[in-house]
């Protein structure tokens, strides 16, 4: 997914907003690293599309707030053998 960085950042932001997904899932879907997703969304996107940045930031903030809960559920499944 090389090429136009602005287009890639917009497509990733749309993907995260529409699917309410995590950075890790977006990186997997686009075949790039989590670091690249963060850099595109946090540094590059606000420079050319502030409205889209604010929408994706809301989803990422929600994911960050729920992160500790998801980790606990995963650990429970691991040890229960589910």
């Amino acid at each position: 997914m090389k090429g136009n960085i602005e287009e890639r950042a917009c497509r990733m932001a749309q993907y995260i907003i529409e699917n309410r997904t995590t950075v890790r899932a977006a990186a997997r879907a686009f075949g790039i690293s989590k670091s690249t997703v963060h850099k595109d969304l946090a540094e590059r996107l606000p420079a050319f599309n502030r409205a889209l940045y604010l929408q994706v930031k809301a989803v990422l903030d929600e994911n960050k707030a729920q992160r500790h809960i998801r980790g606990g559920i995963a650990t429970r499944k691991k040890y229960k053998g589910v």
Side-chain angles (χ1 to χ4, degrees):
M1 178 94 213
K2 306 246 195 265
N4 189 352
I5 295 172
E6 292 178 3
E7 179 185 337
R8 180 181 68 196
C10 287
R11 289 183 56 204
M12 274 191 293
Q14 288 294 337
Y15 178 81
I16 289 174
I17 292 166
E18 290 170 3
N19 298 308
R20 310 220 31 101
T21 190
T22 61
V23 169
R24 187 174 293 216
R28 201 175 306 121
F30 284 86
I32 56 177
S33 71
K34 293 184 307 177
S35 300
T36 304
V37 174
H38 274 294
K39 185 151 185 98
D40 283 354
L41 298 179
E43 295 179 15
R44 296 178 178 139
L45 187 62
F48 58 85
N49 194 335
R50 183 81 177 157
L52 188 59
Y53 165 73
L54 293 174
Q55 290 176 353
V56 78
K57 183 174 178 353
V59 174
L60 295 178
D61 287 346
E62 180 181 334
N63 287 341
K64 188 173 181 180
Q66 296 173 354
R67 182 170 50 193
H68 67 285
I69 297 168
R70 281 194 221 111
I73 293 169
T75 302
R76 178 180 291 162
K77 286 182 181 179
K78 176 182 174 183
Y79 288 108
K80 283 196 168 191
V82 176

